[in-house]
Amino acid sequence: EPSILCFESGSWNTMVTIAAVSFVLVPLPFTVGVTYGTWKYPSLMANGSGDGGRTLMMYRFWWGRFRHPRYYYGLLQLIRSLAMAFVPVCVADDAVLQIGTLIIILLVFLTLQAHLKPWRIEGASNFDSG
């Protein structure tokens, strides 16, 4: 028998508050920063010298694994990870729907990966898409 019921105890309210604050402090700013950097990438490449070059180096961990035309694929991976993390939260009461939703998410992103072949090394793209 569960000791903490949703919407019915003070402990549940505390846990929801901690979860919301944690989300706002960690994954949300990271996602916003990566989205901004991905959006600015084309203009940063055009202005490679100066401050644009420093910004490119700052985001190198994010873009360095992918071919230049597929610079945005890291953001797609982040979206996939966030979507998969939210499935158990959004579909808490139906295990079959959770599994189905996860399969759909994985198939969509597998299809994207197989079509885009984003990895800098050709063998990695072939291996990753099966």
Side-chain angles (χ1 to χ4, degrees):
E1 181 171 327
S3 60
I4 298 175
L5 299 175
C6 296
F7 306 105
E8 293 185 12
S9 71
S11 297
W12 182 83
N13 292 333
T14 303
M15 289 191 302
V16 169
T17 303
I18 291 170
V21 169
S22 298
F23 179 77
V24 168
L25 291 177
V26 181
L28 185 62
F30 182 76
T31 303
V32 168
V34 167
T35 302
Y36 177 75
T38 301
W39 177 61
K40 295 294 283 180
Y41 182 82
S43 64
L44 291 172
M45 286 299 287
N47 312 339
S49 62
D51 188 41
R54 196 178 106 211
T55 305
L56 281 170
M57 289 299 290
M58 185 173 69
Y59 282 100
R60 184 178 62 188
F61 79 96
W62 199 252
W63 300 319
R65 300 171 287 170
F66 308 111
R67 294 185 298 127
H68 173 69
R70 304 292 187 243
Y71 67 91
Y72 54 84
Y73 193 74
L75 183 59
L76 292 178
Q77 285 186 317
L78 182 61
I79 291 168
R80 180 194 65 198
S81 297
L82 286 173
M84 289 179 65
F86 277 112
V87 167
V89 174
C90 296
V91 189
D93 297 332
D94 190 352
V96 174
L97 185 58
Q98 284 182 2
I99 292 170
T101 305
L102 287 171
I103 288 171
I104 289 169
I105 291 169
L106 289 172
L107 285 176
V108 166
F109 282 96
L110 176 64
T111 303
L112 278 172
Q113 195 279 329
H115 176 71
L116 296 174
K117 295 194 179 293
W119 300 107
R120 191 174 289 262
I121 300 169
E122 181 72 23
S125 287
N126 293 334
F127 180 76
D128 198 25
S129 59

